[in-house]
Amino acid sequence: QVQLVESGGGLVQAGGSLRLSCAASGRTFSSYAMGWFRQAPGKEREFVAYISWSGGSTYYADSVKGRFTISRDNAKNTVTLQMNSLKPEDTAVYYCARGPAWVGGSQRRDEYDYWGQGTQVTVSS
């Protein structure tokens, strides 16, 4: 059984930064791509970023490119999302999720099989 636990959300002013972390259980963490998604009130859950199983490849949604950075530490079973220059439109619940094994990653929600409970990020204007 895989468990993903996010932390690091909170309230921040526009232009500020937050660092989200996701701690994963299980001994096969390093075999899987990991992704971050977000869901704003009344909207569908959307892709934010993914990182390959090795950490050598990353991909971002256009809306966060240049502002967010995804990274992972396979020795600690953690994946991190550094969010800079935050905007009010970044307000959402952020979820980490486990993606496909041994490939770069995916933007498709249906390719992620385990999800965390989410952490709220609120950016005030």
Side-chain angles (χ1 to χ4, degrees), residues 28 31-33 53 98-104 111 113:
T28 60
S31 303
Y32 293 86
W53 62 275
R98 193 182 77 169
W102 304 117
V103 296
E111 296 202 22
D113 55 359

Side-chain angles (χ1 to χ4, degrees), residues 14 19 23-24 27 31-32 40 44-45 48 52 56 58 63-64 69-70 73-74 77 79 87 92 103 105 109 114 119:
R19 185 178 181 88
R27 290 181 285 181
S31 303
Y32 293 86
E44 298 228 342
R45 193 171 298 188
V48 174
S52 63
T58 58
S63 59
V64 307
T69 302
I70 188 171
D73 185 336
N74 284 342
N77 279 19
V79 60
K87 305 175 181 180
V103 296
R109 283 182 298 171
Y114 289 95
T119 185

Side-chain angles (χ1 to χ4, degrees), residues 66-119:
R67 300 188 297 122
F68 291 11
T69 302
I70 188 171
S71 60
R72 67 188 297 162
D73 185 336
N74 284 342
K76 297 182 178 179
N77 279 19
T78 58
V79 60
T80 299
L81 186 68
Q82 177 67 43
M83 306 186 296
N84 298 329
S85 302
L86 283 161
K87 305 175 181 180
E89 51 263 44
D90 294 319
T91 295
V93 177
Y94 283 70
Y95 300 88
C96 73
R98 193 182 77 169
W102 304 117
V103 296
S106 174
Q107 299 178 63
R108 293 176 50 175
R109 283 182 298 171
D110 62 359
E111 296 202 22
Y112 290 78
D113 55 359
Y114 289 95
W115 294 78
Q117 83 289 349
T119 185

